Amino acid sequence: MEEPVYFDHAATTPVDERVIDAMLPYFRTSYGNPSSIHSWGQQAEHALESSRQLVADVLKARAEEIVFTSCGTESDNLALRGTALAQKRTRGAKYILISPVEHPAVSQTAKQLAREHGFVVEYLPVDNFGRVHPSEVEATICAETALVSVIYANNEIGTINPITEIAEICHRKGVPFHTDAVQAAAHLPINVEADKVDLLSIGAHKFYGPKGVGALYVRRGTTLDAVQTGGKQEAGLRAGTQNIPYIVGLARALQLARMECEPRSARMILLRDRLIANVLELVPRAHLTGHPTQRLPNHASFVFEGVDGNHLLMLLDMAGFACSSGSACKVGSPQPSEVLLAVGVAKSWALGSLRVSLGKDTTLEQVERLVEHLPKLVEQARGHKHG
Ligand SMILES: *Cc1c(COP(=O)(O)O)cnc(C)c1O
């Protein structure tokens, strides 16, 4: 039997050996608390602040604009909740403007703010590729908008949004703009200055860093209410002793992602486009989801009519391929993905979704092997009646 292949890098990635090497000293010897006065504390503080500077350099931000968090989800939560509550407190703003294709870390936070804090969530329309058009933001934004949040690159369908144009409109209207760049940061040369965003979330485990650490970029002058209270860490925005080894790992992984961005992307785009072309050619009743070109370099996503997507994933797993349906929480009763419904996919197709996300070390041979197996597995899944 051949080695199984991991095709789920949009869910998480392995930790790069170079990242592990960077982290180890902070478990073993430099284990101080960065808030302590003594030399152990100073060492930890130094590691923390050099990591902050490194992340800032990569994103083209200033060190004091980087807040370390425990994950991409927490960054999204801090951005939305922190901004919405501050905007409500300072100027009575009550609308939260998001797209219908956000990650749950954004959409569920917005819904809770509506339920518990009196906000109104408004949804920007998206086209069939899942893109938000800047003109829709222009048409919907108003003086009472507390914040706008639009995903940079979609985790389910790979589509990249015109973030700079959207940010420009928000800027002009004086409304804070947040983008969830948790997928994008792994592949795109993000530049918060050029992009003009006010808040931007990243999470290390999507770019070969450890799980359980993230960062939020907060543009100078953006007011946030603290979500987690306690000590004065992270400029008072995120209390709690910082996880130094993980923060060092995040910074190193982000640095590597940026340094190797072009060769990684160039390789993966070739493999991705070959995979997409072959699947559409060889599998009957198959569609690509998301944009054909404005998409993440490693991301291929499909729907197959009349297929139980979870069953297909099981068949793929047995054949040695780890893939995803694209959205989480699909165990149990099959519900079509809200993202797929939002981009106009019919329910009978949406249940048969498949996401194949390549990694920096994925080979052509692995892609060819998947292409060889997939058509018969889809046919097998089509024969399978649910329940
Ligand atoms: C993975 C992901 C998240 C959540 O990040 P965690 O670090 O796993 O909490 C948020 N948004 C997007 C787009 C993601 O892909």
Side-chain angles (χ1 to χ4, degrees), residues 200-253:
L200 179 140
S201 303
I202 63 173
H205 74 98
K206 304 289 171 76
F207 48 82
Y208 304 92
K211 293 163 187 64
V213 61
L216 178 67
Y217 160 76
V218 182
R219 182 178 292 279
R220 262 194 324 174
T222 311
T223 314
L224 287 192
D225 284 2
V227 170
Q228 181 158 300
T229 46
K232 293 199 169 59
Q233 293 95 346
E234 300 304 298
L237 283 177
R238 204 278 179 178
T241 302
Q242 290 95 342
N243 189 338
I244 302 301
Y246 280 35
I247 287 169
V248 167
L250 176 145
R252 179 72 174 133

Short mmCIF file of all heavy atoms in Angstrom, two decimals, residues 200-253:
data_model
loop_
_atom_site.label_atom_id
_atom_site.label_comp_id
_atom_site.label_asym_id
_atom_site.label_seq_id
_atom_site.Cartn_x
_atom_site.Cartn_y
_atom_site.Cartn_z
N LEU A 200 -6.39 42.95 11.22
CA LEU A 200 -6.14 41.79 10.37
C LEU A 200 -5.73 40.61 11.24
O LEU A 200 -4.84 40.74 12.08
CB LEU A 200 -5.07 42.14 9.34
CG LEU A 200 -4.64 41.05 8.35
CD1 LEU A 200 -4.43 41.67 6.96
CD2 LEU A 200 -3.36 40.35 8.80
N SER A 201 -6.42 39.48 11.05
CA SER A 201 -6.19 38.29 11.89
C SER A 201 -5.34 37.26 11.17
O SER A 201 -5.56 36.99 9.99
CB SER A 201 -7.52 37.60 12.23
OG SER A 201 -8.42 38.48 12.86
N ILE A 202 -4.40 36.66 11.92
CA ILE A 202 -3.66 35.51 11.40
C ILE A 202 -3.56 34.42 12.47
O ILE A 202 -3.74 34.69 13.66
CB ILE A 202 -2.23 35.89 10.91
CG1 ILE A 202 -1.37 36.41 12.06
CG2 ILE A 202 -2.29 36.91 9.79
CD1 ILE A 202 0.10 36.64 11.66
N GLY A 203 -3.29 33.20 12.04
CA GLY A 203 -3.12 32.07 12.97
C GLY A 203 -1.98 31.20 12.46
O GLY A 203 -1.92 30.87 11.27
N ALA A 204 -1.06 30.81 13.36
CA ALA A 204 0.20 30.19 12.92
C ALA A 204 0.05 28.81 12.28
O ALA A 204 0.82 28.45 11.41
CB ALA A 204 1.15 30.09 14.12
N HIS A 205 -0.95 28.04 12.71
CA HIS A 205 -0.96 26.65 12.25
C HIS A 205 -1.41 26.48 10.81
O HIS A 205 -1.34 25.39 10.26
CB HIS A 205 -1.78 25.76 13.20
CG HIS A 205 -3.26 25.90 13.11
ND1 HIS A 205 -4.03 25.02 12.38
CD2 HIS A 205 -4.11 26.79 13.66
CE1 HIS A 205 -5.31 25.36 12.50
NE2 HIS A 205 -5.38 26.43 13.28
N LYS A 206 -1.82 27.57 10.17
CA LYS A 206 -2.14 27.48 8.74
C LYS A 206 -0.90 27.70 7.88
O LYS A 206 -0.93 27.51 6.69
CB LYS A 206 -3.24 28.48 8.36
CG LYS A 206 -4.53 28.37 9.18
CD LYS A 206 -5.34 27.13 8.84
CE LYS A 206 -6.50 26.88 9.78
NZ LYS A 206 -7.65 27.73 9.61
N PHE A 207 0.20 28.15 8.51
CA PHE A 207 1.45 28.34 7.74
C PHE A 207 2.64 27.66 8.41
O PHE A 207 3.71 28.24 8.56
CB PHE A 207 1.72 29.82 7.40
CG PHE A 207 1.60 30.81 8.54
CD1 PHE A 207 2.63 31.00 9.43
CD2 PHE A 207 0.45 31.58 8.69
CE1 PHE A 207 2.54 31.93 10.46
CE2 PHE A 207 0.33 32.52 9.71
CZ PHE A 207 1.39 32.68 10.60
N TYR A 208 2.47 26.41 8.79
CA TYR A 208 3.57 25.57 9.27
C TYR A 208 4.12 26.04 10.62
O TYR A 208 5.27 25.79 10.96
CB TYR A 208 4.68 25.45 8.21
CG TYR A 208 4.15 24.92 6.91
CD1 TYR A 208 3.70 25.79 5.91
CD2 TYR A 208 4.01 23.55 6.71
CE1 TYR A 208 3.16 25.31 4.73
CE2 TYR A 208 3.47 23.06 5.54
CZ TYR A 208 3.05 23.94 4.54
OH TYR A 208 2.49 23.47 3.39
N GLY A 209 3.28 26.75 11.38
CA GLY A 209 3.60 27.09 12.76
C GLY A 209 2.77 26.21 13.69
O GLY A 209 1.99 25.37 13.22
N PRO A 210 2.93 26.41 15.00
CA PRO A 210 2.17 25.58 15.95
C PRO A 210 0.70 25.99 16.04
O PRO A 210 0.34 27.13 15.74
CB PRO A 210 2.89 25.85 17.28
CG PRO A 210 3.51 27.20 17.11
CD PRO A 210 3.85 27.35 15.66
N LYS A 211 -0.14 25.06 16.46
CA LYS A 211 -1.54 25.38 16.76
C LYS A 211 -1.60 26.16 18.07
O LYS A 211 -0.71 26.07 18.91
CB LYS A 211 -2.35 24.10 16.88
CG LYS A 211 -2.46 23.37 15.54
CD LYS A 211 -2.90 21.93 15.74
CE LYS A 211 -2.86 21.17 14.44
NZ LYS A 211 -1.47 21.05 13.88
N GLY A 212 -2.66 26.94 18.24
CA GLY A 212 -2.85 27.61 19.51
C GLY A 212 -2.10 28.92 19.66
O GLY A 212 -1.79 29.33 20.78
N VAL A 213 -1.76 29.57 18.55
CA VAL A 213 -1.19 30.91 18.65
C VAL A 213 -1.56 31.70 17.39
O VAL A 213 -1.60 31.17 16.29
CB VAL A 213 0.36 30.87 18.85
CG1 VAL A 213 1.08 30.18 17.71
CG2 VAL A 213 0.92 32.28 19.10
N GLY A 214 -1.90 32.96 17.61
CA GLY A 214 -2.29 33.83 16.51
C GLY A 214 -1.87 35.25 16.80
O GLY A 214 -1.20 35.53 17.80
N ALA A 215 -2.22 36.14 15.89
CA ALA A 215 -1.93 37.56 16.11
C ALA A 215 -3.02 38.39 15.47
O ALA A 215 -3.68 37.96 14.53
CB ALA A 215 -0.56 37.93 15.53
N LEU A 216 -3.21 39.56 16.04
CA LEU A 216 -4.12 40.53 15.44
C LEU A 216 -3.34 41.81 15.19
O LEU A 216 -2.69 42.34 16.10
CB LEU A 216 -5.30 40.82 16.39
CG LEU A 216 -6.31 41.86 15.88
CD1 LEU A 216 -7.06 41.35 14.66
CD2 LEU A 216 -7.30 42.23 16.99
N TYR A 217 -3.39 42.29 13.94
CA TYR A 217 -2.83 43.59 13.64
C TYR A 217 -3.91 44.63 13.97
O TYR A 217 -5.06 44.49 13.55
CB TYR A 217 -2.46 43.68 12.15
CG TYR A 217 -2.33 45.10 11.66
CD1 TYR A 217 -1.21 45.87 11.97
CD2 TYR A 217 -3.35 45.69 10.91
CE1 TYR A 217 -1.11 47.19 11.54
CE2 TYR A 217 -3.25 47.01 10.48
CZ TYR A 217 -2.14 47.75 10.80
OH TYR A 217 -2.05 49.05 10.38
N VAL A 218 -3.52 45.65 14.74
CA VAL A 218 -4.46 46.73 15.09
C VAL A 218 -3.80 48.05 14.70
O VAL A 218 -2.80 48.46 15.32
CB VAL A 218 -4.77 46.76 16.60
CG1 VAL A 218 -5.78 47.86 16.92
CG2 VAL A 218 -5.28 45.41 17.09
N ARG A 219 -4.32 48.70 13.67
CA ARG A 219 -3.73 49.96 13.22
C ARG A 219 -3.74 51.00 14.34
O ARG A 219 -4.70 51.10 15.09
CB ARG A 219 -4.52 50.51 12.02
CG ARG A 219 -3.96 51.81 11.45
CD ARG A 219 -4.76 52.27 10.25
NE ARG A 219 -4.58 51.36 9.12
CZ ARG A 219 -3.53 51.39 8.29
NH1 ARG A 219 -2.57 52.30 8.45
NH2 ARG A 219 -3.44 50.54 7.30
N ARG A 220 -2.65 51.73 14.45
CA ARG A 220 -2.56 52.81 15.44
C ARG A 220 -3.79 53.69 15.37
O ARG A 220 -4.21 54.09 14.29
CB ARG A 220 -1.34 53.68 15.13
CG ARG A 220 -0.13 53.35 15.93
CD ARG A 220 0.90 54.43 15.83
NE ARG A 220 0.94 55.05 14.49
CZ ARG A 220 1.67 56.10 14.19
NH1 ARG A 220 2.43 56.66 15.10
NH2 ARG A 220 1.67 56.59 12.98
N GLY A 221 -4.36 54.01 16.51
CA GLY A 221 -5.52 54.90 16.53
C GLY A 221 -6.85 54.17 16.46
O GLY A 221 -7.90 54.79 16.56
N THR A 222 -6.82 52.85 16.27
CA THR A 222 -8.07 52.07 16.28
C THR A 222 -8.41 51.73 17.73
O THR A 222 -7.57 51.19 18.45
CB THR A 222 -7.89 50.76 15.47
OG1 THR A 222 -7.31 51.07 14.22
CG2 THR A 222 -9.22 50.05 15.28
N THR A 223 -9.62 52.08 18.16
CA THR A 223 -9.98 51.84 19.55
C THR A 223 -10.64 50.49 19.71
O THR A 223 -11.60 50.16 19.01
CB THR A 223 -10.97 52.93 20.04
OG1 THR A 223 -10.46 54.20 19.62
CG2 THR A 223 -11.11 52.90 21.54
N LEU A 224 -10.11 49.70 20.65
CA LEU A 224 -10.66 48.38 20.95
C LEU A 224 -10.95 48.30 22.43
O LEU A 224 -10.14 48.76 23.23
CB LEU A 224 -9.65 47.28 20.65
CG LEU A 224 -9.29 46.89 19.23
CD1 LEU A 224 -8.50 45.60 19.24
CD2 LEU A 224 -10.54 46.72 18.42
N ASP A 225 -12.07 47.67 22.80
CA ASP A 225 -12.27 47.32 24.20
C ASP A 225 -11.64 45.95 24.44
O ASP A 225 -11.75 45.07 23.58
CB ASP A 225 -13.78 47.25 24.52
CG ASP A 225 -14.38 48.65 24.64
OD1 ASP A 225 -13.63 49.63 24.44
OD2 ASP A 225 -15.58 48.77 24.94
N ALA A 226 -10.98 45.78 25.58
CA ALA A 226 -10.36 44.49 25.88
C ALA A 226 -11.45 43.43 26.03
O ALA A 226 -12.52 43.70 26.58
CB ALA A 226 -9.55 44.59 27.17
N VAL A 227 -11.18 42.26 25.49
CA VAL A 227 -12.13 41.16 25.62
C VAL A 227 -11.74 40.27 26.78
O VAL A 227 -12.58 39.74 27.50
CB VAL A 227 -12.18 40.36 24.29
CG1 VAL A 227 -12.95 39.08 24.45
CG2 VAL A 227 -12.77 41.23 23.18
N GLN A 228 -10.43 40.11 26.95
CA GLN A 228 -9.92 39.30 28.06
C GLN A 228 -9.22 40.23 29.03
O GLN A 228 -8.24 40.87 28.67
CB GLN A 228 -8.95 38.25 27.52
CG GLN A 228 -8.39 37.34 28.58
CD GLN A 228 -7.90 36.05 27.99
OE1 GLN A 228 -8.67 35.32 27.38
NE2 GLN A 228 -6.63 35.77 28.13
N THR A 229 -9.72 40.31 30.25
CA THR A 229 -9.19 41.26 31.21
C THR A 229 -8.30 40.56 32.23
O THR A 229 -8.41 39.36 32.45
CB THR A 229 -10.35 41.98 31.93
OG1 THR A 229 -11.29 40.98 32.33
CG2 THR A 229 -11.03 42.97 31.02
N GLY A 230 -7.44 41.33 32.84
CA GLY A 230 -6.49 40.79 33.82
C GLY A 230 -5.26 41.68 33.84
O GLY A 230 -5.40 42.89 34.04
N GLY A 231 -4.08 41.09 33.61
CA GLY A 231 -2.83 41.86 33.61
C GLY A 231 -2.74 42.80 32.43
O GLY A 231 -3.64 42.90 31.61
N LYS A 232 -1.60 43.47 32.34
CA LYS A 232 -1.45 44.53 31.33
C LYS A 232 -0.77 44.04 30.05
O LYS A 232 -0.33 44.85 29.23
CB LYS A 232 -0.61 45.67 31.93
CG LYS A 232 -1.32 46.39 33.07
CD LYS A 232 -0.71 47.76 33.32
CE LYS A 232 -1.56 48.59 34.25
NZ LYS A 232 -1.75 47.93 35.58
N GLN A 233 -0.69 42.72 29.89
CA GLN A 233 0.02 42.20 28.70
C GLN A 233 -0.64 42.69 27.42
O GLN A 233 -1.83 43.01 27.39
CB GLN A 233 0.03 40.66 28.71
CG GLN A 233 0.86 40.05 29.83
CD GLN A 233 0.02 39.71 31.04
OE1 GLN A 233 -1.12 40.14 31.17
NE2 GLN A 233 0.59 38.93 31.95
N GLU A 234 0.13 42.67 26.35
CA GLU A 234 -0.37 43.02 25.01
C GLU A 234 -1.13 44.35 25.02
O GLU A 234 -2.26 44.46 24.53
CB GLU A 234 -1.24 41.88 24.44
CG GLU A 234 -0.51 40.55 24.29
CD GLU A 234 0.76 40.66 23.43
OE1 GLU A 234 0.63 41.01 22.25
OE2 GLU A 234 1.86 40.39 23.95
N ALA A 235 -0.49 45.34 25.61
CA ALA A 235 -1.02 46.71 25.67
C ALA A 235 -2.42 46.75 26.29
O ALA A 235 -3.25 47.60 25.96
CB ALA A 235 -1.04 47.33 24.27
N GLY A 236 -2.66 45.80 27.21
CA GLY A 236 -3.94 45.80 27.92
C GLY A 236 -5.08 45.21 27.11
O GLY A 236 -6.21 45.12 27.57
N LEU A 237 -4.81 44.76 25.89
CA LEU A 237 -5.88 44.23 25.04
C LEU A 237 -6.09 42.73 25.22
O LEU A 237 -7.13 42.19 24.89
CB LEU A 237 -5.57 44.50 23.56
CG LEU A 237 -5.83 45.93 23.11
CD1 LEU A 237 -5.41 46.09 21.66
CD2 LEU A 237 -7.31 46.27 23.28
N ARG A 238 -5.07 42.06 25.75
CA ARG A 238 -5.18 40.61 25.83
C ARG A 238 -4.38 40.16 27.05
O ARG A 238 -3.18 39.84 26.95
CB ARG A 238 -4.63 40.00 24.55
CG ARG A 238 -5.16 38.64 24.21
CD ARG A 238 -4.42 37.55 24.96
NE ARG A 238 -4.94 36.23 24.66
CZ ARG A 238 -4.44 35.12 25.17
NH1 ARG A 238 -3.41 35.16 25.99
NH2 ARG A 238 -4.97 33.96 24.86
N ALA A 239 -5.05 40.13 28.20
CA ALA A 239 -4.38 39.77 29.44
C ALA A 239 -4.01 38.29 29.43
O ALA A 239 -4.67 37.47 28.79
CB ALA A 239 -5.30 40.08 30.62
N GLY A 240 -2.95 37.96 30.16
CA GLY A 240 -2.51 36.57 30.26
C GLY A 240 -1.05 36.47 29.88
O GLY A 240 -0.61 37.14 28.95
N THR A 241 -0.28 35.65 30.61
CA THR A 241 1.13 35.47 30.31
C THR A 241 1.31 34.95 28.89
O THR A 241 0.69 33.97 28.51
CB THR A 241 1.76 34.47 31.32
OG1 THR A 241 1.55 35.00 32.63
CG2 THR A 241 3.25 34.28 31.06
N GLN A 242 2.14 35.62 28.13
CA GLN A 242 2.32 35.24 26.73
C GLN A 242 2.99 33.87 26.61
O GLN A 242 3.86 33.53 27.42
CB GLN A 242 3.17 36.28 25.99
CG GLN A 242 2.48 37.62 25.78
CD GLN A 242 2.81 38.63 26.86
OE1 GLN A 242 3.29 38.28 27.94
NE2 GLN A 242 2.56 39.89 26.58
N ASN A 243 2.59 33.15 25.58
CA ASN A 243 3.17 31.83 25.29
C ASN A 243 4.40 32.03 24.41
O ASN A 243 4.32 32.04 23.18
CB ASN A 243 2.11 30.98 24.58
CG ASN A 243 2.55 29.54 24.45
OD1 ASN A 243 3.74 29.24 24.50
ND2 ASN A 243 1.59 28.66 24.27
N ILE A 244 5.54 32.22 25.05
CA ILE A 244 6.74 32.63 24.31
C ILE A 244 7.17 31.62 23.25
O ILE A 244 7.41 32.00 22.10
CB ILE A 244 7.91 32.96 25.28
CG1 ILE A 244 7.49 34.07 26.25
CG2 ILE A 244 9.16 33.37 24.51
CD1 ILE A 244 7.07 35.37 25.60
N PRO A 245 7.28 30.30 23.57
CA PRO A 245 7.71 29.38 22.50
C PRO A 245 6.80 29.44 21.28
O PRO A 245 7.28 29.43 20.14
CB PRO A 245 7.65 27.99 23.16
CG PRO A 245 7.40 28.20 24.60
CD PRO A 245 7.07 29.62 24.85
N TYR A 246 5.51 29.53 21.51
CA TYR A 246 4.57 29.54 20.38
C TYR A 246 4.63 30.85 19.61
O TYR A 246 4.51 30.88 18.39
CB TYR A 246 3.13 29.31 20.89
CG TYR A 246 2.82 27.86 21.16
CD1 TYR A 246 3.79 27.00 21.67
CD2 TYR A 246 1.55 27.34 20.91
CE1 TYR A 246 3.51 25.68 21.92
CE2 TYR A 246 1.26 26.02 21.15
CZ TYR A 246 2.24 25.20 21.65
OH TYR A 246 1.96 23.88 21.88
N ILE A 247 4.83 31.94 20.32
CA ILE A 247 4.94 33.24 19.66
C ILE A 247 6.22 33.28 18.81
O ILE A 247 6.21 33.75 17.66
CB ILE A 247 4.89 34.38 20.70
CG1 ILE A 247 3.45 34.51 21.23
CG2 ILE A 247 5.39 35.69 20.11
CD1 ILE A 247 3.31 35.41 22.45
N VAL A 248 7.31 32.74 19.35
CA VAL A 248 8.56 32.63 18.58
C VAL A 248 8.31 31.77 17.34
O VAL A 248 8.75 32.09 16.22
CB VAL A 248 9.69 32.04 19.45
CG1 VAL A 248 10.90 31.62 18.61
CG2 VAL A 248 10.10 33.04 20.53
N GLY A 249 7.55 30.69 17.51
CA GLY A 249 7.23 29.80 16.39
C GLY A 249 6.38 30.49 15.34
O GLY A 249 6.61 30.35 14.14
N LEU A 250 5.39 31.25 15.79
CA LEU A 250 4.54 31.98 14.83
C LEU A 250 5.39 32.94 14.00
O LEU A 250 5.28 32.99 12.77
CB LEU A 250 3.44 32.76 15.57
CG LEU A 250 2.55 33.65 14.69
CD1 LEU A 250 1.11 33.66 15.22
CD2 LEU A 250 3.03 35.09 14.57
N ALA A 251 6.27 33.68 14.68
CA ALA A 251 7.07 34.69 13.97
C ALA A 251 8.00 34.02 12.96
O ALA A 251 8.11 34.46 11.81
CB ALA A 251 7.88 35.51 14.97
N ARG A 252 8.64 32.92 13.36
CA ARG A 252 9.56 32.22 12.46
C ARG A 252 8.79 31.63 11.27
O ARG A 252 9.23 31.72 10.12
CB ARG A 252 10.29 31.11 13.24
CG ARG A 252 11.25 30.29 12.41
CD ARG A 252 12.50 31.07 12.03
NE ARG A 252 13.48 30.21 11.37
CZ ARG A 252 14.11 30.54 10.25
NH1 ARG A 252 13.89 31.71 9.68
NH2 ARG A 252 14.98 29.73 9.72
N ALA A 253 7.62 31.05 11.54
CA ALA A 253 6.83 30.44 10.47
C ALA A 253 6.34 31.49 9.49
O ALA A 253 6.34 31.28 8.27
CB ALA A 253 5.64 29.68 11.06
#
